Amino acid sequence: MTSTDSLPAAPKHGFKLGFGLRDAGTLIGLLVIIGVFAALSPNFLTERNILNILQQSSINACVALGMTLVIISGGIDLSVGPTAAIAAVAAAALMVGGTPIVFAIPAAILFGMAAGAVNGALVAYGGLQPFIVTLGTLSLYRASALIYTGGNPIFGIPPAFRSLFNGDILGVPTPVVLVAILALMVWVVLNKTPLGEYFLAVGGNEEASHIAGVPVAMTKIAAYVISGGLASIAGLILVGRLGAADPTLGNLWELDAIAAAAIGGASLMGGKGSVV
C-alpha cells in the first residue's frame, strides 16, 4: 500500500468546523466560569476587560497552537519557552545592531523554526523520546540565550517595533488579531490539507501510517518546526509589550501550552485534537 487513500482512518472531528462533544463540554465550562465572574464583578464583561483578557491570553494561545499540532502527531515540546527566548534575543540583537525590523522579525521566526527542526530531527531520525529530546533542548536553548546576553535583558528595542505589537486594528489589540489569523491558518492546515491528515494519522498509529506511505519523519519534523515558529512569534509579541528581550522569557510556557491543548481536546496519546 503506497497511496494516501490507504491512510489509517483519522478520528472524526464532528461538524465541519471540527467541533465535537468534548469541545462542547469545554465551551460550556468556559461559559459557566464567565457567568460566575460576571455575577461577582459588574466590570468583568466590559469591553475593556474582555479585550485585556484576550490580549493577555494571546501569547499562550499562540504557543498552544503549535503545541496542539505536536501533541496530535504523538509528540510533546517542552522547549517552547526557551525557543521563544532565543528568538526574542535574536530579534532584539539584530534590531539594536541596526537591522531593519522587516528583516529582524522573519529572521527571528526562522531561528525558532530551526530550533524546532532540531527537535523534530532528533525525534524522527534519532529514535529518541520527544520528552527526553525537548527536555534536553529546553536547557540548551535557555543556556544559549543566557550565555549570549550574559544573563541581562537587551534594551533599546525600536519604538516602531513596540508600536507594531501594542497597537490595535479596529479597536482590537494587534496581538489578538494576529493570533486569530494564526489560529485560522493552523485550522486550515489541520482540516484542509494532507499535512493535517498526516499529523492525525501519525499520532494515531505511526506504524500503519508508515505502511500506508505517509512520510512519518517529515511529518514529525513539520509539527516541531511549526511549533518553533509559533513560539517565536509569541516571544516577539512579549518583547513588543515589554520593550526588552529577557533571556529568561518564556519560563514554564510549555506547561501552560500543554494544559491549553489538553483542555481544548487534544489527546496526549496523539491522533486526536482540534483548533476549535
Side-chain angles (χ1 to χ4, degrees):
M1 292 184 294
T2 58
S3 169
T4 54
D5 294 335
S6 304
L7 286 174
K12 297 297 183 181
H13 292 289
F15 301 106
K16 290 184 178 180
L17 287 176
F19 194 83
L21 182 61
R22 170 65 182 272
D23 301 305
T26 304
L27 180 59
I28 292 172
L30 175 62
L31 292 176
V32 170
I33 293 173
I34 291 175
V36 170
F37 281 108
L40 293 175
S41 172
N43 297 321
F44 183 77
L45 290 180
T46 61
E47 178 182 355
R48 179 177 180 181
N49 189 55
I50 294 299
L51 290 177
N52 183 54
I53 291 174
L54 290 173
Q55 186 172 19
Q56 294 290 338
S57 303
S58 61
I59 292 175
N60 186 38
C62 190
V63 180
L65 287 171
M67 184 68 75
T68 297
L69 295 182
V70 173
I71 290 176
I72 287 175
S73 65
I76 199 77
D77 190 355
L78 302 179
S79 68
V80 286
T83 296
I86 59 173
V89 166
L94 287 171
M95 289 186 291
V96 171
T99 302
I101 295 174
V102 69
F103 296 120
I105 292 177
I109 296 174
L110 288 174
F111 204 80
M113 294 173 70
V118 171
N119 290 338
L122 290 173
V123 170
Y125 295 116
L128 302 173
Q129 290 295 320
F131 182 91
I132 299 301
V133 168
T134 56
L135 183 63
T137 54
L138 179 155
S139 299
L140 176 63
Y141 298 158
R142 180 70 72 193
S144 299
L146 288 168
I147 291 171
Y148 180 80
T149 61
N152 300 310
I154 299 178
F155 295 99
I157 306 298
F161 179 85
R162 297 198 63 187
S163 63
L164 185 64
F165 291 102
N166 286 319
D168 62 78
I169 299 175
L170 299 177
V172 180
T174 302
V176 176
V177 176
L178 174 60
V179 173
I181 294 172
L182 291 172
L184 178 61
M185 293 172 64
V186 174
W187 180 86
V188 169
V189 168
L190 189 58
N191 292 274
K192 302 296 182 181
T193 69
L195 181 59
E197 292 295 330
Y198 292 165
F199 287 145
L200 290 162
V202 170
N205 192 322
E206 182 177 330
E207 183 177 353
S209 299
H210 179 73
I211 294 173
V214 174
V216 174
M218 295 308 299
T219 298
K220 290 182 177 182
I221 292 174
Y224 284 99
V225 167
I226 295 173
S227 178
L230 290 171
S232 300
I233 294 173
L236 294 176
I237 292 174
L238 187 57
V239 170
R241 292 179 57 188
L242 298 179
D246 194 323
T248 62
L249 174 152
N251 188 36
L252 299 182
W253 279 8
E254 59 276 2
L255 299 183
D256 291 336
I258 292 170
I263 292 171
S267 170
L268 295 178
M269 300 301 293
K272 179 182 178 183
S274 71
V275 175
V276 175

